[in-house]
């Protein structure tokens, strides 16, 4: 934390996460309480992260927000919920019960600047990392400790799972006030060192139906979603926890694929139906099944959120071969992005039988790039003041 007489500033980073048992549907849209529990893997911040600087000063005239350098609307209701909740916890902690007791700082205006190290346009869930980072930074700024996933949840449901590293369960909770709808770590990121994640970024498409609107229509119209939430997810969560504890890739991968498919089935069961997968997504699904069939076991597992990009789980010793299979199946456009990004991938030569069994009709240019990453830790506080996104004047660095 940087502090002078007039300015207090903190900078934090937070990760994205990928659900293997999906959250889809709210029972309370204001508090963001889900109809079922969910479980995710936190992605490593070396590849995907949000950085947020939050500052308070008695010189600030109004609350202000900058997203990737552009000033944005600070009045967004979900952002306001997070701000209100962190300030409430700060007051509680300092022993003040009401507004009058607000200690210095709580009455000051706040400046917030936030940046992603990955293109928002890539369609990779940025709201989870964004709200987790906002809440973590505000909590550090106001000296709040303890349970924060409940606050992050009120920014975006999936954000509560980004408050922890490794493997994280969001308990749906029972209480109407949401106090028990919190995230909990199932295992740390060091638990399964061989696990790797490949994000297959599908070439740009027009915008999808957003998660918030989509899941509400599903809750209102899909009997399959209701059945899934009530009868199927509780058992799936228990099995997934066990597969993770045992580092059982066969079980983990099978259930990950089935749960992704069931989530997309509930989208099709929504009326009017929602389509997040496209032709390339479906080709990736078929490719993964051919690849696993060729090997006679689950070597790779796919999962898809509210968009066409695939996230593939595999063990480290499979990555080089599968990446080569993907490259042969979706030959990169000659002047596109760097095709392989993130953690290094070794080279692999493919056996003739593998090629003829798995790589059927290549589709050039269908993928923009592949990002190679692994499970990673939860939010971090950065000590180096050089990493603040705001300058000593409380404005974004580099701005006029
Ligand atoms: C398909 O957390 O983005 O990614 O709570 O309305 O902000 P809101 O929705 P959001 O939904 C994520 C849905 C999902 C599945 C998941 O992450 O579990």
């Amino acid at each position: 934390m940087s502090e002078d007489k007039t300015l207090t500033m903190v900078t934090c980073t937070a990760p994205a996460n990928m659900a293997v048992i999906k959250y889809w549907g709210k029972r309370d849209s204001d508090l963001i309480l889900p109809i079922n529990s969910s479980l995710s893997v936190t992605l490593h911040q070396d590849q995907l992260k949000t950085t947020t600087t939050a500052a308070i000063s008695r010189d600030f005239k109004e609350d202000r927000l900058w997203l990737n350098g552009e000033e944005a609307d600070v009045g967004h209701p979900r952002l306001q919920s997070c701000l209100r909740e962190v300030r409430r916890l700060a007051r509680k902690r300092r022993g003040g019960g009401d507004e009058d007791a607000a200690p210095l700082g709580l009455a000051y205006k706040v400046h917030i600047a936030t940046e992603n190290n990955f293109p928002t346009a890539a369609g990779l869930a940025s709201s989870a990392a964004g709200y987790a980072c906002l809440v973590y930074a505000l909590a550090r700024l106001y000296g709040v400790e303890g349970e924060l996933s409940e606050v992050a949840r009120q920014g975006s449901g999936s954000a509560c799972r980004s408050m922890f590293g490794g493997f994280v369960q969001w308990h749906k909770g029972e209480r109407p006030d949401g106090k028990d709808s919190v995230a909990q770590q199932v295992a740390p990121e060091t638990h399964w060192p061989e696990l790797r994640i490949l994000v297959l970024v599908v070439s740009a498409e027009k915008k999808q139906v957003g998660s918030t609107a989509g899941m509400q229509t599903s809750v209102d119209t899909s009997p399959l979603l209701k059945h899934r939430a009530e009868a199927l997810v509780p058992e799936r969560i228990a099995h997934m926890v066990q597969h993770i504890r045992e580092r059982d890739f066969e079980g983990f991968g099978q259930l990950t694929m089935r749960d992704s498919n069931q989530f997309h089935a509930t989208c099709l069961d929504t009326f009017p139906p929602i389509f997040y997968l496209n032709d390339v997504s479906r080709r990736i699904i078929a490719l993964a099944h051919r690849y696993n069939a060729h090997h006679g076991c689950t070597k790779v597992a796919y999962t898809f959120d509210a968009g066409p990009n695939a996230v593939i789980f595999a063990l480290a010793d499979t990555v080089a071969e599968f990446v080569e299979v993907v490259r042969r199946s979706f030959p990169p456009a000659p002047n596109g992005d760097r095709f392989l990004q993130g953690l290094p991938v070794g080279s692999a030569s493919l056996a003739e039988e593998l090629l003829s069994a798995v790589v059927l009709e290549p589709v050039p240019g269908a993928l923009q790039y592949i990002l190679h990453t692994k499970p990673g830790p939860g939010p971090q506080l950065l000590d180096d003041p050089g990493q603040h996104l705001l300058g000593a004047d409380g404005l974004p660095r580099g701005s006029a």
Side-chain angles (χ1 to χ4, degrees):
M1 184 167 338
S2 316
E3 224 161 329
D4 60 33
K5 268 191 248 84
T6 54
L7 185 74
T8 309
M9 192 182 291
V10 300
T11 297
C12 299
T13 66
N17 71 77
M18 191 64 197
V20 291
I21 301 292
K22 303 292 185 191
Y23 150 52
W24 196 249
K26 298 179 184 70
R27 63 180 199 276
D28 182 318
S29 322
D30 293 328
L31 288 171
I32 311 198
L33 302 178
I35 59 171
N36 60 257
S37 296
S38 55
L39 206 152
S40 58
V41 181
T42 299
L43 308 187
H44 205 288
Q45 295 176 55
D46 283 354
Q47 282 74 46
L48 296 171
K49 73 174 172 221
T50 296
T51 304
T52 298
T53 297
I56 41 175
S57 163
R58 72 170 135 137
D59 296 337
F60 292 167
K61 303 277 183 293
E62 52 184 349
D63 291 340
R64 292 177 76 178
L65 169 72
W66 292 265
L67 299 178
N68 294 317
E70 298 285 317
E71 184 143 23
D73 177 19
V74 78
H76 193 288
R78 288 177 170 203
L79 187 137
Q80 286 297 323
S81 299
C82 292
L83 203 47
R84 187 189 61 235
E85 286 305 301
V86 177
R87 283 170 168 159
R88 192 178 56 78
L89 291 174
R91 264 198 297 280
K92 208 162 108 189
R93 181 165 177 268
R94 295 181 194 185
D98 52 39
E99 300 291 330
D100 298 340
L104 232 65
L106 280 166
Y108 292 170
K109 300 297 180 193
V110 64
H111 282 191
I112 300 162
T114 184
E115 266 176 16
N116 296 326
N117 71 342
F118 53 95
T120 317
L124 302 165
S126 56
S127 70
Y131 278 107
C133 205
L134 173 78
V135 169
Y136 194 78
L138 289 173
R140 289 300 188 117
L141 186 67
Y142 292 117
V144 173
E145 278 157 20
E147 170 48 49
L148 293 169
S149 73
E150 200 209 324
V151 182
R153 188 201 73 224
Q154 297 180 55
S156 182
S158 55
C160 74
R161 299 185 312 234
S162 278
M163 297 304 280
F164 297 95
F167 303 82
V168 185
Q169 181 179 349
W170 174 12
H171 296 268
K172 79 179 185 75
E174 303 295 335
R175 294 171 52 147
D177 66 4
K179 293 272 180 256
D180 56 353
S181 188
V182 294
Q184 187 184 30
Q185 189 177 64
V186 172
E189 62 277 14
T190 49
H191 168 72
W192 202 345
E194 304 82 17
L195 194 64
R196 294 290 180 276
I197 301 157
L198 296 166
V199 184
L200 274 45
V201 180
V202 169
S203 294
E205 277 248 323
K206 67 175 184 333
K207 208 176 161 11
Q208 316 292 319
V209 179
S211 303
T212 307
M215 71 174 77
Q216 192 51 47
T217 315
S218 297
V219 168
D220 293 342
T221 63
S222 169
L224 176 58
L225 180 66
K226 187 171 154 61
H227 175 66
R228 162 180 163 76
E230 288 170 4
L232 306 178
V233 171
E235 201 183 351
R236 286 189 165 195
I237 292 270
H239 283 144
M240 191 58 95
V241 168
Q242 199 181 347
H243 296 321
I244 290 167
R245 293 227 161 100
E246 294 171 356
R247 293 185 280 265
D248 166 11
F249 191 80
E250 184 70 35
F252 171 84
Q254 287 277 320
L255 189 50
T256 295
M257 293 188 281
R258 284 176 184 272
D259 203 69
S260 173
N261 294 342
Q262 188 172 88
F263 155 53
H264 291 280
T266 69
C267 291
L268 192 59
D269 191 47
T270 298
F271 199 80
I274 306 169
F275 307 98
Y276 288 125
L277 305 180
N278 66 13
D279 276 353
V280 180
S281 318
R282 283 185 286 272
R283 280 177 187 274
I284 295 167
I285 292 175
L287 179 69
H289 284 287
R290 285 199 300 274
Y291 184 76
N292 289 339
H294 177 80
H295 283 288
C297 64
T298 302
K299 287 275 199 183
V300 294
Y302 54 80
T303 184
F304 297 81
D305 277 349
N309 297 332
V311 171
I312 304 284
F313 290 95
L315 297 178
D317 60 7
T318 302
V319 167
E321 186 182 80
F322 188 69
V323 163
E324 191 52 30
V325 164
V326 170
R327 196 197 294 274
R328 297 290 192 105
S329 305
F330 306 102
N335 48 9
D337 286 308
R338 206 153 42 90
F339 193 62
L340 201 51
Q341 303 187 18
L343 296 173
V345 176
S347 59
S349 54
L350 304 182
E352 219 23 75
E353 319 127 82
L354 173 67
L355 269 177
S356 57
V358 177
V359 178
L360 299 185
E361 295 159 32
V363 186
L367 286 189
Q368 242 178 70
Y369 62 92
I370 303 176
L371 179 68
H372 182 205
T373 185
K374 61 182 186 178
Q380 315 274 317
L381 176 72
L382 302 183
D383 296 322
D384 173 11
Q387 292 178 292
H388 290 323
L389 302 177
L390 296 171
D393 57 357
L395 297 174
R397 285 201 158 146
S399 70

